[in-house]
Amino acid sequence: MNIRILNLFLALIISFQVFSQKKEIASITENELRAHLEFIASDLMQGRDFDTPVPGLEITGAYLKAQCREMGLKPGAEGFSQTVKLIRTKADLENSVLQLKNSKGEVVFTGNKIISFGGSSKSDTLKSDLVFGGFGYLNKSGYNDLDSIDLKNKMVLMMTGSPDPNDTTQSMEEINKREMAKIGPLMMSGVKTIILTVNPADSGNKWFELIKQYASGGSYKLEGDTVKDMPFNILFVDNSIADAVLKETGKTLAQIQQQIIETGKPASQVIKNVTAEIILAKESKPIESENIIGFVEGSDPKLKNEYVILTAHYDHVGITPDGQVNNGADDNGSGTVALLEVAEAFSLMKKKPARSIVFAWVTAEEKGLFGSRYYTENPVFPLSQTIANINLDMVGRSAPAENGPVTDVEKSLAGPDGVYFITGNKEGEIRKIGVEISKKLNLIPSDELSEDFLNGSDYYHFHKNGIPVLGISTGLHEDYHHPTDEVVKIDYHKMKRIADLTFWVTLEIANGKKPLK
């Protein structure tokens, strides 16, 4: 065969392959994305959480398994289901109580408006002396609410917020950072129990209400988990309990808060003549869920034993205390259905990629990334032969225009062409592949969320195990974890483009001749 004929023959082969792949990627459609999402993000699914009146999470799992069977994926586990067993510990608020006792041991106050975190996963009784720690705040200018106070084995009562009268912190991200920054120094002090109450000036009370809602769902761990309980307890109480604790000082919490603001000086002090006894009632319950796992076997006799795993969590946060459904259309209905469409595209390929491609819809991400953690600790396919993880989480929304540098990650929603990559290595090959293909698809990639979100979704456990990861997202928005995260706000055209991007990046990695770095 002469060179001209050989070149023509090769060109025909390449043209055929590209045409074939175009046919397969054409199977990813906005209509199918919409149809899948309108089902799994409907009110019927009850927010895809545990213990809802209708078992929407289980129904969604059954739906995903049916789709895997229909598209002809091979089961990665029996019946496509990898069982994930969890233990939920939930505070029994009705039977939890705080009592204050005087020096004679007599009960002088009883209150039950307590929310508890941390400490033992079993019911517990705490007894200790009390310290008032102001805001529990310290800064570089020298202000320190905890200075010269012995906190070891004590209970410390403190307010949310800061003593700065000009503190106008509004975003939940900044509020969380401010309050969590207080915990570190307290841990080092040997404190026994942290009792947080709302700053009387905080009429909005956003952060406290968020904590209350989160606490109502309980805390989770994997069955048999050897992770130790937190060495201290964090309690949240209302101002009536705080005022009762401070009664011996002759001032209310609001009066002390005002004093600190006016003087610019801490008012921290030991609470004399009163000790606290707190009964924390808790109940534990086994929860069983599942990761849904299917795969397309690679076509190369050797490379098919290497795996690219694509993940998306299909759970969400359920129903609000007042009965509204958090449908989670974007979080993470969008990633769930985009992964379905990508899986279908690969299932339609006559000649499969060289390496095998695993599709895993994981559970309990919202409870602490437990589904992906369970998979990496009990891998269906060896992690030593897993060369990459691509994770889809919130890929269905667009801002009206492209945004500039991200100053608030809670408002990081990308514009019509924007996409965020979260990687553990900005110089890594997997990111380079993502950037190159994005440009070909006229998408604008950004790494700006990598630092904030590397431990924030299911790629984290793969990254922790040394596997190159590429998290794909279109960013956060004001509907995150709210009932307003609805299908009517989804940009299906954008979601299809993200699914296309995922297909091409996966194909490039699965056929690559060199291992990723």
Side-chain angles (χ1 to χ4, degrees), residues 133-202:
F135 292 94
Y137 189 83
L138 57 91
N139 62 24
K140 294 179 181 178
S141 67
Y143 182 95
N144 186 351
D145 274 313
L146 307 177
D147 192 30
S148 303
I149 296 181
D150 180 15
L151 297 174
K152 191 168 184 178
N153 294 323
K154 303 286 198 315
M155 294 182 185
V156 58
L157 169 69
M158 60 191 201
M159 295 175 280
T160 60
S162 82
D164 181 358
N166 299 314
D167 185 353
T168 57
T169 301
Q170 294 292 326
S171 78
M172 288 307 303
E173 180 201 10
E174 290 302 318
I175 292 172
N176 278 327
K177 283 183 179 179
R178 183 188 64 202
E179 299 306 321
M180 291 302 104
K182 299 176 182 180
I183 304 300
L186 288 167
M187 288 175 62
M188 299 298 291
S189 72
V191 69
K192 186 174 184 178
T193 304
I194 300 168
I195 305 176
L196 279 171
T197 192
V198 178
N199 182 338
D202 181 11

Side-chain angles (χ1 to χ4, degrees), residues 59 65 119 139 144 174 192 205 214 234 275 312 317 353 367:
I59 294 171
K65 286 184 283 188
N139 62 24
N144 186 351
E174 290 302 318
K192 186 174 184 178
N205 201 8
Y214 181 77
I234 302 177
T275 58
V317 297
K367 308 305 181 189

Side-chain angles (χ1 to χ4, degrees), residues 31 145 151 157 160 180 203 209 255 263 297 306 337 351 366 375 384 386 388 409 416-417 431 440 478 493 498 512:
N31 284 341
D145 274 313
L151 297 174
L157 169 69
T160 60
M180 291 302 104
S203 58
E209 287 302 315
Q255 289 170 336
T263 65
E297 188 175 28
E306 294 182 359
V337 304
K351 181 172 175 57
E366 301 287 4
Y375 179 90
S384 60
T386 300
V409 296
D417 299 316
R431 176 191 169 277
K440 291 177 182 178
E478 67 277 3
H493 179 65
I498 298 298

Side-chain angles (χ1 to χ4, degrees), residues 197-483:
T197 192
V198 178
N199 182 338
D202 181 11
S203 58
N205 201 8
K206 289 186 197 176
W207 189 74
F208 194 80
E209 287 302 315
L210 178 67
I211 294 296
K212 183 177 179 180
Q213 183 175 339
Y214 181 77
S216 68
S219 60
Y220 291 75
K221 65 180 181 178
L222 289 173
E223 184 180 84
D225 203 336
T226 57
V227 175
K228 294 181 180 179
D229 291 331
M230 285 173 61
F232 58 91
N233 292 271
I234 302 177
L235 309 180
F236 300 86
V237 302
D238 76 349
N239 286 173
S240 67
I241 290 179
D243 284 340
V245 169
L246 294 169
K247 186 176 180 180
E248 286 290 324
T249 71
K251 295 181 179 179
T252 65
L253 182 70
Q255 289 170 336
I256 295 179
Q257 183 263 355
Q258 190 61 33
Q259 172 189 324
I260 296 172
I261 296 294
E262 289 176 355
T263 65
K265 295 180 181 180
S268 304
Q269 57 192 292
V270 174
I271 305 298
K272 299 177 181 179
N273 303 320
V274 173
T275 58
E277 180 172 313
I278 304 174
I279 298 170
L280 297 178
K282 300 180 182 179
E283 52 188 24
S284 292
K285 176 182 178 180
I287 299 285
E288 192 168 290
S289 192
E290 59 185 341
N291 292 331
I292 313 301
I293 305 170
F295 75 105
V296 167
E297 188 175 28
S299 58
D300 185 279
K302 292 183 179 179
L303 292 180
K304 71 178 183 179
N305 295 315
E306 294 182 359
Y307 305 92
V308 181
I309 182 166
L310 278 65
T311 50
H313 76 89
Y314 68 98
D315 64 306
H316 193 50
V317 297
I319 302 172
T320 67
D322 62 356
Q324 296 183 76
V325 178
N326 292 295
N327 288 311
D330 193 27
D331 182 22
N332 185 34
S334 61
T336 298
V337 304
L339 188 55
L340 273 176
E341 288 292 277
V342 173
E344 181 183 24
F346 277 106
S347 74
L348 293 172
M349 293 182 71
K350 291 184 178 180
K351 181 172 175 57
K352 303 299 191 234
R355 294 179 176 85
S356 296
I357 303 173
V358 182
F359 304 94
W361 292 267
V362 294
T363 188
E365 189 266 2
E366 301 287 4
K367 308 305 181 189
L369 312 182
F370 286 116
S372 53
R373 178 183 157 197
Y374 185 84
Y375 179 90
T376 57
E377 293 177 357
N378 304 271
V380 172
F381 303 96
L383 291 189
S384 60
Q385 292 163 232
T386 300
I387 68 164
N389 167 240
I390 299 171
N391 184 74
L392 303 179
D393 197 347
M394 299 182 67
V395 296
R397 293 280 294 272
S398 293
E402 304 304 331
N403 51 26
V406 175
T407 57
D408 182 351
V409 296
E410 288 192 344
K411 299 175 182 177
S412 57
L413 187 60
D417 299 316
V419 59
Y420 291 104
F421 290 154
I422 296 93
T423 67
N425 178 8
K426 290 187 179 181
E427 303 303 319
E429 189 66 26
I430 192 168
R431 176 191 169 277
K432 292 178 183 176
I433 291 170
V435 169
E436 289 172 4
I437 292 175
S438 294
K439 291 178 179 177
K440 291 177 182 178
L441 298 177
N442 295 317
L443 289 166
I444 304 170
S446 168
D447 294 306
E448 286 190 273
L449 300 188
S450 283
E451 185 175 342
D452 289 291
F453 288 116
L454 186 56
N455 64 349
S457 191
D458 293 298
Y459 40 69
Y460 170 70
H461 290 296
F462 294 93
H463 168 71
K464 189 175 69 174
N465 281 277
I467 296 168
V469 300
L470 185 70
I472 300 177
S473 177
T474 54
L476 286 180
H477 43 75
E478 67 277 3
D479 301 311
Y480 173 68
H481 283 191
H482 283 77

